[in-house]
Amino acid sequence: MRPAKLWRGWRSGAAVVSIAVAVLFATAAPAAQPQVRYLHQGWEFRLLPDDPQAREHAPATQWRAARVPGHVHTDLLAQGLIPDPYVGAPEAQLQWIGLGTWEYRSRFDLSEATLRKSHAELVFEGLDTYADVYLNGEALLSADNAFRTWRLPVAGKLRARGNELRVVLHSPIRRLLPRVEAMPHKIAGNYPSPYGDEPKEAMTGNFARKPGYHYGWDWGPRYVTAGVWRDVKLESWDGPRIDELHLRQLRVDADVAELRAQVQVRADAAGSATLELDWLDPDGRRARALRQTVQLRAGAQTLNVPVRIERPRRWYPFGYGEQALYTFRARLLDADGQRAQAQQRTGLRRVELRRPRDAEGQGFAFAVNGIEIFAKGANAIPFDMFPARVPRERLRKTLEDARAANMNMLRNWGGGYYESDAFFDLADELGLMVWQDFMYGGGMQPGFDPAFRANAEAEARDQVRRLRRHPSIVLWCGNNEEETAWKDWGHRSKLMESDPAFAQTVWDGYVQLFGRDLREVVAQEAGDLPYWSSSPGNDLDEKANDSSKGDKHYWDVWAGSKPIAAYLDETPRFMSEFGLQAWPSLRTVDAFASAAEQGIDTPVIRAHQKFLAGAGNERLLHYIRAGYGEPRDFAQFVYLSQIMQAEGIELAALHHRASRPHTMGSLYWQLNDVWPGASWSSLDYYGRWKALHFHARRFFAPVAAAALRKDGRTTLSLLSDRTQALPARWTLRVIDFDGREHWRAQGEVALTPLAVTAAGAWSDAELLRGADPRRTAAVFELQAQGEPVSRRVIYFDEAKALALSDPQLRTQWRRDGKAAALTLQTERLARGLWIEFDGLDAELSDNALTLLPGETVQLRVRADADLARLRQALRLRWLRAP
């Protein structure tokens, strides 16, 4: 599934490094770094005994073991107080948790050496959300933002034995509801709760700086959780401290990287100190370094050091060059011999958002190191309803799977949370560009409230500073769909009808927050990166969701029920959202629904279908019936949903790529899942590939044939994302489903780099030449030097109208090292071939295939089973006539 060659980078020549006033680095004694004590052990939790929820949930008021980092829901689950929130349909009965007040406590001892440190700070990297923090009975903090880091000075407040840390977490619904209900006119929220925990006309989610998806979305449940959800630690130190080392990239090109090292220092007193700076090149070789005397003042300050690297090895997106990463190190030695140090790993690159005006509007393209990149990828949503339980291994697998599908960009969507450092480290290493939203998703924010904006600005500064070292981030975007909701979904017009003055106040607050405040934070803290106010958007131009300018969210197909072929009518400058739903594999459905609970309209299946409040399978059936006919049972419904999704998104993505340079991005909705259920993802909650992900690996291939049929005419475009011209050959064969070839054509061509090469166009009559359209296919193939063959098969009617019969598949098994090899041979056309194994998890090298008559394919199968078990469990599905 992920061939090893995909993960190998390549190197340019060795870099030559110099720095102003540089001398050889002087070896010194180890630095006295801040002592870090993670406070993750010994936590307990309970529902406050006087909370209104305690009347019906008394067992939760007893102190019980808790996990930090963690969440109330996962702690309740671990203690056996609630059922698994993902299994069956328990969502309604668990809404009380989001209304409760929860208390967490832990006790810890400290050494005398720690207590003697002159500085100590208690650091919470994530409190969700309205949290009162007490240390040894003293109130330290009332937090109100799940996305901020809270640093609390505690020197003199600690003791050697029995320190007690207590956190009281208040319900965001109960905290905010009185204020929202008191508003004479409401601003629009997102998804109303169907469970009665808050009124539909007074939604609180967009007033809280908390992950918006916790309040429910059309792909996930409503679990308004709380918790100490990221690390909590005690930092103690003496002398100066380096809070951060940041490398501001002023100029980066093939000849030179001109940087400014910004060393943020806190000092106890004024005086001279020695600053040392060096770095390791991408191969880990130490470079020459600077050592110079600096003058410190008491308090916080930033020391700026110019850095110049000749012929730098630059960071590129996957497919365009190596993912070169440098490690920079700063050390500070004060006159008393106290040392501080910090280091940062980053990549050197230049990012531009190019928006040239032309006769059709205004372009929208990302350029990295001067190369315009066609962005290929998907939108990433949270990996779990309870993110503290997402391990690094799961992040790695998902991002590796994205790259295996030839993606080079992910959009981190604005209704979740800012991902962990591990996520961005992996994106850096894999060459995945990241479009990073600030965490505002849908509805409208109270930007007219100065306190809300101040909180938002502090959050943004925290997150941009934390993440700015990552070369993978190529854009900061203010929000998801708030501007288009205001302008296009009726949010503005409804408020204008009731109170025009307040409507203007709301819009002015929006412009202040997303047009000015967040833009200024990005300019100040990450000045080498572009900022975009909203997606979809035009950076506050009059029209928000415009096909001729800016980025586009296109939902006329699916949400608007237009036919899938309508994708060919929409040609934006950058498509940042579009999608079709599908169910995950039966193996995944089995994890939350028994066989008796599985059916297109059964209660448990409806509970895991969040589109249209559970009625989304009707929309799925609309598209399945239109293209493939009536499913005969639930298993075929699941299969057809995946084939429909894969073929539909392939059509759209190839159209986007064939429209280059007018269109310069295609990001489908969505990459991953937050829980097991129906969604628009190509990877399900357990990481299993849907048919779409296998198709994506083919339609996002660097070199691909885009044969697109519209209004009875097929156009062949040859796509190349390579930076060099490639000799290639295209072929066209018109065949019937039994294998008889009617005719063929071919052509030699040099593929233009980073461009589309037109190869030809044919009417249906020219292709068919009198053949039966129900039994005939046009097969287009592209073979370029050093690239896999790209194939695109064109049919002349919907699948349900084709004379597809049993392909007479033959199978053969053999052992292939640690894996098994499955050989498949077909007598007739096998369209939409899906390979699965009853009761087994198996990883296949390919799937969701179309085999031509007489074709043989060999697949590798990795599974914890012998050949006999694999042979017995094998199930094959393909499209056939109804």
Side-chain angles (χ1 to χ4, degrees):
M1 188 175 291
R2 297 183 294 278
K5 68 179 181 180
L6 289 175
W7 314 117
R8 299 190 188 119
W10 56 92
R11 297 188 177 97
S12 59
V16 178
V17 180
S18 67
I19 185 168
V21 202
V23 298
L24 290 175
F25 187 85
T27 302
Q33 280 296 95
Q35 182 183 78
V36 179
R37 165 87 176 271
Y38 285 91
L39 303 177
H40 293 169
Q41 304 302 316
W43 284 88
E44 299 176 301
F45 84 112
R46 68 172 181 174
L47 177 68
L48 280 185
D50 60 353
D51 187 273
Q53 303 303 313
R55 291 192 295 270
E56 295 184 19
H57 303 282
T61 64
Q62 304 301 310
W63 285 108
R64 299 171 188 268
R67 185 167 183 171
V68 168
H71 308 270
V72 170
H73 286 74
T74 51
D75 287 333
L76 290 167
L77 175 63
Q79 293 298 317
L81 295 176
I82 62 170
D84 191 319
Y86 291 0
V87 176
E91 191 175 343
Q93 70 190 70
L94 298 182
Q95 295 309 305
W96 66 272
I97 302 169
L99 296 173
T101 306
W102 299 92
E103 184 177 16
Y104 280 69
R105 71 181 182 187
S106 176
R107 293 182 175 86
F108 59 95
D109 300 332
L110 295 172
S111 68
E112 289 299 327
T114 298
L115 292 172
R116 285 196 297 269
K117 298 289 185 183
S118 57
H119 300 277
E121 287 184 347
L122 189 62
V123 182
F124 288 91
E125 295 186 355
L127 289 168
D128 184 9
T129 292
Y130 293 97
D132 297 330
V133 177
Y134 303 86
L135 176 65
N136 297 328
E138 180 182 346
L140 297 183
L141 170 70
S142 288
D144 60 355
N145 191 320
F147 307 123
R148 290 178 62 179
T149 296
W150 306 95
R151 306 188 69 93
L152 312 175
V154 293
K157 302 178 187 295
L158 299 165
R159 53 198 184 210
R161 296 287 179 267
N163 291 282
E164 183 182 67
L165 185 57
R166 191 163 65 93
V167 180
V168 178
L169 297 154
H170 302 276
S171 164
I173 298 172
R174 286 168 53 194
R175 172 64 63 91
L176 292 170
L177 190 56
R179 171 186 164 192
V180 176
E181 288 186 311
M183 295 176 65
H185 302 290
K186 310 297 188 292
I187 59 175
N190 297 316
Y191 291 94
S193 172
Y195 303 114
D197 51 326
E198 69 178 10
K200 294 182 179 181
E201 69 278 3
M203 289 179 276
T204 61
N206 48 325
F207 291 84
R209 294 310 302 137
K210 171 182 174 59
Y213 78 107
H214 284 169
Y215 295 85
W217 222 267
D218 58 3
W219 36 253
R222 179 183 176 92
Y223 290 132
V224 185
T225 194
V228 183
W229 75 287
R230 280 188 165 158
D231 287 337
V232 53
K233 56 191 175 182
L234 179 67
E235 296 181 355
S236 53
W237 71 96
D238 290 316
R241 171 187 175 123
I242 298 178
D243 284 329
E244 185 191 12
L245 168 63
H246 173 54
L247 275 297
R248 192 101 179 201
Q249 303 189 23
L250 307 177
R251 172 193 170 192
V252 177
D253 56 34
D255 297 324
V256 66
E258 294 180 352
L259 316 174
R260 182 165 65 242
Q262 297 177 322
V263 187
Q264 296 179 8
V265 176
R266 275 190 280 171
D268 292 339
S272 65
T274 300
L275 176 65
E276 301 168 338
L277 182 72
D278 74 349
W279 58 90
L280 306 178
D281 74 9
D283 293 324
R285 293 189 297 257
R286 183 179 170 198
R288 299 178 68 189
L290 168 73
R291 184 179 184 182
Q292 66 183 42
T293 300
V294 296
Q295 296 299 316
L296 300 179
R297 65 177 185 272
Q301 59 229 269
T302 299
L303 307 177
N304 291 290
V305 182
V307 178
R308 181 181 176 89
I309 301 177
E310 305 287 347
R311 296 196 299 279
R313 287 167 60 180
R314 291 175 289 173
W315 183 94
Y316 286 88
F318 170 55
Y320 293 85
E322 70 169 329
Q323 286 74 60
L325 297 170
Y326 287 78
T327 299
F328 293 85
R329 305 181 298 192
R331 299 175 179 86
L332 188 69
L333 178 67
D334 73 2
D336 296 327
Q338 298 289 339
R339 291 180 56 84
Q341 68 180 18
Q343 72 176 36
Q344 178 196 99
R345 187 181 74 159
T346 192
L348 306 179
R349 86 289 186 255
R350 178 167 58 95
V351 175
E352 303 167 81
L353 177 58
R354 294 181 176 175
R355 302 197 63 213
R357 295 189 180 276
D358 55 31
E360 298 167 311
Q362 190 172 8
F364 190 101
F366 291 94
V368 179
N369 299 325
I371 301 174
E372 286 199 356
I373 311 292
F374 189 98
K376 302 179 297 187
N379 290 260
I381 66 168
F383 287 77
D384 201 290
M385 287 303 300
F386 314 110
R389 67 178 183 178
V390 178
R392 182 185 178 94
E393 293 74 22
R394 184 176 173 196
L395 296 176
R396 175 174 287 280
K397 182 182 185 304
T398 302
L399 297 193
E400 286 181 345
D401 286 349
R403 177 166 145 156
N406 289 304
M407 297 183 186
N408 58 33
M409 177 178 274
L410 299 177
R411 174 179 172 241
N412 273 347
W413 166 80
Y417 51 85
Y418 302 93
E419 269 295 347
S420 64
D421 291 310
F423 176 98
F424 293 97
D425 285 339
L426 292 166
D428 294 344
E429 295 163 11
L430 295 171
L432 294 172
M433 298 181 290
V434 177
W435 167 316
Q436 180 62 51
D437 283 0
F438 285 101
M439 290 300 113
Y440 303 88
M444 180 56 72
Q445 306 300 320
F448 50 84
D449 179 358
F452 183 93
R453 287 205 316 275
N455 196 2
E457 182 180 339
E459 167 197 319
R461 220 169 278 281
D462 268 5
Q463 295 296 337
V464 174
R465 286 175 175 171
R466 177 175 73 92
L467 298 174
R468 62 187 175 182
R469 68 179 178 87
H470 294 284
S472 53
I473 299 178
V474 297
L475 181 76
W476 281 95
C477 179
N479 65 70
N480 170 75
E481 294 188 341
E482 294 200 1
E483 186 176 345
T484 191
W486 179 257
K487 293 179 176 179
D488 305 325
W489 300 356
H491 292 185
R492 171 176 55 186
S493 58
K494 291 177 183 177
L495 202 53
M496 285 289 291
E497 291 174 4
S498 58
D499 190 336
F502 182 56
Q504 188 61 49
T505 297
V506 171
W507 177 244
D508 290 345
Y510 175 94
V511 172
Q512 180 64 43
L513 177 58
F514 297 111
R516 301 188 186 98
D517 295 349
L518 298 184
R519 190 187 307 274
E520 184 175 346
V521 169
V522 172
Q524 291 173 349
E525 306 294 351
D528 58 329
L529 286 181
Y531 172 80
W532 192 245
S533 62
S534 183
S535 178
N538 222 342
D539 215 17
L540 291 169
D541 204 348
E542 181 178 352
K543 190 174 180 181
N545 199 12
D546 193 344
S547 298
S548 63
K549 295 190 289 184
D551 71 307
K552 180 79 174 182
H553 292 192
Y554 181 70
W555 288 105
D556 287 0
V557 177
W558 182 260
S561 299
K562 278 192 175 183
I564 288 173
Y567 278 137
L568 298 176
D569 299 325
E570 178 57 47
T571 310
R573 308 315 295 254
F574 191 104
M575 185 69 90
S576 48
E577 277 192 27
F578 66 104
L580 292 164
Q581 243 199 23
W583 277 86
S585 69
L586 290 174
R587 180 83 170 147
T588 293
V589 175
D590 288 341
F592 64 81
S594 67
E597 292 171 325
Q598 294 179 23
I600 294 177
D601 199 37
T602 58
V604 171
I605 295 302
R606 285 182 65 90
H608 287 254
Q609 166 59 276
K610 292 300 178 184
F611 183 67
L612 295 179
N617 282 351
E618 283 299 315
R619 186 62 49 83
L620 261 175
L621 283 169
H622 166 78
Y623 283 101
I624 291 171
R625 288 165 175 156
Y628 305 89
E630 188 72 26
R632 62 181 174 271
D633 55 26
F634 181 71
Q636 194 192 30
F637 169 72
V638 169
Y639 160 72
L640 290 177
S641 75
Q642 289 205 23
I643 296 301
M644 178 275 298
Q645 179 194 42
E647 293 188 345
I649 298 304
E650 176 175 312
L651 180 74
L654 287 176
H655 168 60
H656 301 152
R657 294 189 68 189
S659 301
R660 179 177 187 160
H662 179 93
T663 303
M664 285 300 293
S666 183
L667 308 181
Y668 64 74
W669 186 272
Q670 65 207 61
L671 176 67
N672 59 305
D673 270 339
V674 76
W675 79 325
S679 83
W680 296 260
S681 72
S682 60
L683 300 172
D684 76 18
Y685 175 73
Y686 298 107
R688 298 181 178 115
W689 287 30
K690 293 182 182 177
L692 172 56
H693 211 77
F694 289 100
H695 277 242
R697 184 168 59 186
R698 298 190 280 266
F699 65 66
F700 278 155
V703 173
L708 301 170
R709 178 176 177 268
K710 180 182 179 182
D711 299 330
R713 186 171 182 82
T714 298
T715 301
L716 177 61
S717 302
L718 310 179
L719 316 175
S720 177
D721 291 335
R722 298 305 189 193
T723 57
Q724 302 293 326
L726 291 175
R729 171 184 294 172
W730 64 265
T731 61
L732 161 62
R733 290 180 291 150
V734 179
I735 63 172
D736 67 24
F737 296 166
D738 292 327
R740 185 167 67 93
E741 183 177 295
H742 295 293
W743 67 279
R744 72 164 55 204
Q746 64 183 37
E748 304 286 337
V749 65
L751 297 182
T752 306
L754 302 173
V756 178
T757 302
W762 300 263
S763 68
D764 285 355
E766 289 171 326
L767 289 172
L768 288 167
R769 297 185 180 180
D772 184 351
R774 296 178 61 254
R775 301 176 181 274
T776 306
V779 181
F780 295 86
E781 292 182 328
L782 174 64
Q783 175 67 72
Q785 187 178 66
E787 303 288 342
V789 174
S790 173
R791 174 188 290 171
R792 175 89 171 138
V793 181
I794 294 297
Y795 305 95
F796 298 93
D797 210 333
E798 300 291 354
K800 66 181 181 181
L802 300 178
L804 295 166
S805 58
D806 187 337
Q808 300 296 308
L809 284 161
R810 295 191 296 274
T811 64
Q812 186 176 359
W813 288 94
R814 66 177 177 83
R815 179 57 62 183
D816 184 11
K818 294 183 179 180
L822 170 62
T823 300
L824 292 166
Q825 186 175 30
T826 182
E827 291 295 322
R828 301 188 183 95
L829 181 85
R831 178 177 173 183
L833 177 61
W834 183 251
I835 305 153
E836 59 191 1
F837 297 87
D838 280 354
L840 290 179
D841 266 327
E843 185 179 89
L844 289 93
S845 57
D846 208 354
N847 208 339
L849 299 162
T850 290
L851 300 185
L852 301 181
E855 189 170 18
T856 299
V857 64
Q858 187 175 95
L859 307 174
R860 287 175 60 83
V861 183
R862 294 186 179 274
D864 187 15
D866 59 20
L867 288 181
R869 179 73 181 93
L870 286 170
R871 187 179 293 110
Q872 180 184 25
L874 176 65
R875 298 291 181 269
L876 302 176
R877 298 181 185 274
W878 58 83
L879 291 177
R880 62 188 74 191

